Amino acid sequence: MRCALIDRRRLLLASYNYQANLKPTDKVLEVGPGTGNLTVKILEKAKHVTAVEMDPRMAAEVIKRVQGTPEQHKLEVMIGDAIKVDFPYFEVCISNTPYQISSPLTFRLLSHRPLFRVAILMFQREFAQRLVARPGTALWSRLSANVQLYSKVDNIINVSRNDFRPPPKVESSVIRLVPIDPPPPVKFEEFDGMNRIIFSRPNKTIRGNFQAQGVMKMLEQNRRTWHAAQELMIDDTPINIIVDKVLEEVEFTETRASKMDVDDLLKLLAAFHEAGIHFS
């Protein structure tokens, strides 16, 4: 079910435009325009808007909103799945995000090149809170760390379910996401692969998470594959001994992922790589 913003929308729409700091030269990507309430406001500020809409009926409504107006030539509507369509060049992304694509859209944006300037995104509040969570808080997670590796993210405004018609079952929040430029020279699959292990039980020690069933076997397989690809000899040191040595060297044996910031995680990943251990 698609929910449309109602009475408090003027404040919210103004917040979108203000936080995006739209310029007359900006090309904007809008994901999930619905009936176009936000689209027409963006068109007043930006040079061009590409709106990606899954529902052909909604897309027709957006087009109808601007027919015969000076903004008509500034709008392109793409009908399709925002996770699959080819994005055009854009400087700003604005989205009243369909909640079922929150995570895929976030990581699609973070992997997009060239980098955009800013994204203003509405998400289900629980998801938004995890995006902006900080180390040492209850919501700091693999998602938080992965997103904050590549971007600066903060909460802009909370939106009540009563601001929609019909009201959804959940509360919402609008967040601002600014890509880190240049992005860190870290392979995402490696960073996420390590985080998948250590955040499986974030309040357990790092060493304890590496002792979980199947982890050492997977790391040994990765180790042998990597050494073979590099045409390097591999010694017979047991993988658990190598892992323990790495954790001792960086002094993270008794540390918990719930307390580690992005710099800590990058330090740990680099130490594993130095020892020939990889996660993808």
Side-chain angles (χ1 to χ4, degrees):
M1 180 184 293
R2 182 68 63 86
C3 301
L5 287 166
I6 53 174
D7 289 338
R8 214 160 62 98
R9 68 180 179 215
R10 290 185 180 179
L11 172 62
L12 187 57
L13 298 183
S15 176
Y16 267 100
N17 284 342
Y18 173 76
Q19 296 294 343
N21 190 25
L22 288 178
K23 303 173 183 178
T25 56
D26 278 341
K27 294 184 177 180
V28 177
L29 174 71
E30 185 186 14
V31 177
T35 57
N37 289 335
L38 181 56
T39 313
V40 294
K41 295 297 182 182
I42 301 171
L43 286 167
E44 293 174 1
K45 301 283 186 180
K47 179 179 181 179
H48 186 269
V49 175
T50 300
V52 181
E53 175 55 59
M54 188 77 166
D55 187 338
R57 297 169 299 175
M58 292 286 192
E61 284 294 318
V62 177
I63 295 170
K64 184 178 179 181
R65 290 284 293 268
V66 299
Q67 279 182 339
T69 71
E71 282 74 32
Q72 182 175 351
H73 71 283
K74 298 166 61 177
L75 175 67
E76 176 188 3
V77 177
M78 299 175 65
I79 300 175
D81 186 341
I83 307 305
K84 298 178 181 178
V85 301
D86 292 330
F87 288 161
Y89 172 82
F90 63 96
E91 285 107 351
V92 177
C93 177
I94 295 177
S95 175
N96 179 3
T97 312
Y99 292 155
Q100 67 271 20
I101 66 167
S102 295
S103 185
L105 177 63
T106 300
F107 287 103
R108 170 134 200 232
L109 290 173
L110 289 174
S111 65
H112 182 77
R113 300 293 181 271
L115 292 175
F116 53 92
R117 188 175 74 246
V118 64
I120 308 297
L121 311 168
M122 183 184 292
F123 291 127
Q124 181 176 334
R125 188 169 302 166
E126 181 182 0
F127 182 82
Q129 288 173 335
R130 290 166 61 208
L131 288 186
V132 305
R134 296 296 182 254
T137 64
L139 292 177
W140 177 249
S141 63
R142 172 183 159 211
L143 173 67
S144 317
N146 286 350
V147 169
Q148 292 177 36
L149 172 67
Y150 292 106
S151 66
K152 296 180 180 179
V153 57
D154 59 288
N155 188 76
I156 294 173
I157 187 172
N158 292 327
V159 185
S160 169
R161 59 189 298 273
N162 295 321
D163 292 329
F164 295 88
R165 185 180 62 242
K169 295 180 180 180
V170 297
E171 305 289 333
S172 303
S173 294
V174 179
I175 64 103
R176 175 175 49 220
L177 184 149
V178 178
I180 293 173
D181 188 11
V186 178
K187 187 178 179 182
F188 174 76
E189 290 79 7
E190 285 290 305
F191 189 75
D192 180 53
M194 183 187 73
N195 285 344
R196 187 186 301 271
I197 295 170
I198 68 175
F199 279 100
S200 60
R201 291 170 293 178
N203 291 311
K204 192 175 181 67
T205 66
I206 299 299
R207 185 178 186 277
N209 280 321
F210 274 98
Q211 300 299 321
Q213 184 176 4
V215 171
M216 291 299 178
K217 181 179 179 180
M218 179 269 291
L219 293 179
E220 179 62 23
Q221 290 173 341
N222 288 354
R223 178 172 173 248
R224 292 186 178 278
T225 300
W226 185 83
H227 277 77
Q230 303 298 316
E231 297 183 348
L232 297 173
M233 295 291 292
I234 187 168
D235 62 45
D236 294 326
T237 306
I239 189 68
N240 62 303
I241 300 299
I242 299 174
V243 169
D244 282 347
K245 184 178 179 181
V246 169
L247 294 177
E248 289 170 6
E249 288 177 349
V250 291
E251 299 181 344
F252 285 149
T253 302
E254 298 301 319
T255 304
R256 288 159 172 76
S258 60
K259 307 293 183 182
M260 297 176 72
D261 62 21
V262 169
D263 288 339
D264 292 331
L265 296 169
L266 288 173
K267 179 180 178 181
L268 180 58
L269 182 62
F272 277 124
H273 284 174
E274 183 69 23
I277 294 179
H278 294 261
F279 297 89
S280 63

